[in-house]
Amino acid sequence: MYGNDHPVEIEIGIGKGTFLTEQAKARPETNFFGIEWARWFWRYASDRLRRNGCTNARTARVEALFFLTEYVKDASVFVLHVYFPDPWPKARHHKRRLIQEPFMKQVARVLVPGGRLQIVTDHQEYFEQIDQVVRASPLQIVEYNKPGSAAEGEFVGTNFERKYRREGRPFYAIAAVKS
């Protein structure tokens, strides 16, 4: 797909592509893949990558768990980024949340040994669930690494983070590695 053997990082929920574009520009020795379900965001992010000449990045408009299950090889991903996933705050919608046991099984399968999962959210109740699910998985909890594209005082440097910071929302982060 990329014509090289560089490491692959996947971002789930690329939004407008701010994080993905900045990472692809800063790290040409890494291949990036962005997944987005919302058509408008996917088109915007894909065009942003094109305009910035990010030939080391690809995108797909697809449901994330399906994509991981059907298209990602075992032990092929170095980092999986999940920033500000939809919290589906109503109790009847919790079953739609991404970070659940079936997702974590796929994460453990697709990450290379030593591969990393990074998650940031602004939703405390969802974070409490994420924390439990990640801790119950075979991954080991480690310190969250702030990406180099994040500005001073930022966790990630996405449009959502910047918007939520202006609103005064707190952020919650967790990271884990496959041993």
Side-chain angles (χ1 to χ4, degrees):
M1 175 189 302
Y2 296 92
N4 62 52
D5 61 355
H6 296 170
V8 174
E9 297 188 16
I10 295 176
E11 182 188 9
I12 294 176
I14 60 175
K16 291 183 176 180
T18 303
F19 171 79
L20 195 62
T21 302
E22 293 306 312
Q23 288 293 301
K25 285 175 15 184
R27 300 170 49 215
E29 73 289 348
T30 301
N31 295 320
F32 292 93
F33 199 92
I35 299 169
E36 178 57 59
W37 178 244
R39 181 185 309 271
W40 187 90
F41 283 123
W42 169 72
R43 290 180 68 180
Y44 188 99
S46 298
D47 186 56
R48 174 180 260 170
L49 287 163
R50 181 194 57 77
R51 285 182 282 119
N52 281 276
C54 298
T55 58
N56 61 329
R58 309 282 188 274
T59 66
R61 182 183 170 267
V62 64
E63 194 276 324
L65 183 57
F66 173 79
F67 183 82
L68 291 178
T69 303
E70 298 296 324
Y71 294 103
V72 181
K73 293 180 185 177
D74 294 358
S76 62
V77 176
F78 282 72
V79 184
L80 188 59
H81 305 270
V82 184
Y83 301 128
F84 303 97
D86 192 332
W88 293 102
K90 293 180 182 175
R92 70 178 185 266
H93 294 153
H94 285 187
K95 64 184 175 276
R96 297 179 184 171
R97 289 177 168 176
L98 176 65
I99 316 296
Q100 299 188 53
E101 184 185 355
F103 173 76
M104 290 306 300
K105 284 183 180 178
Q106 291 305 313
V107 170
R109 182 186 66 78
V110 303
L111 286 178
V112 300
R116 186 174 190 90
L117 170 66
Q118 297 230 133
I119 304 170
V120 176
T121 182
D122 65 304
H123 196 275
Q124 183 178 3
E125 187 271 329
Y126 188 18
F127 179 75
E128 291 167 3
Q129 176 193 328
I130 290 168
D131 187 64
Q132 288 178 356
V133 171
V134 173
R135 289 180 188 280
S137 78
L139 277 59
Q140 296 294 119
I141 301 297
V142 294
E143 190 171 329
Y144 174 80
N145 278 353
K146 181 177 104 165
S149 60
E152 181 76 28
E154 290 182 336
F155 275 89
V156 183
T158 66
N159 282 354
F160 277 122
E161 179 181 8
R162 291 169 184 158
K163 173 185 173 186
Y164 297 158
R165 186 168 300 285
R166 286 189 301 271
E167 294 173 3
R169 297 187 194 189
F171 300 108
Y172 308 93
I174 189 168
V177 296
K178 179 178 176 178
S179 47

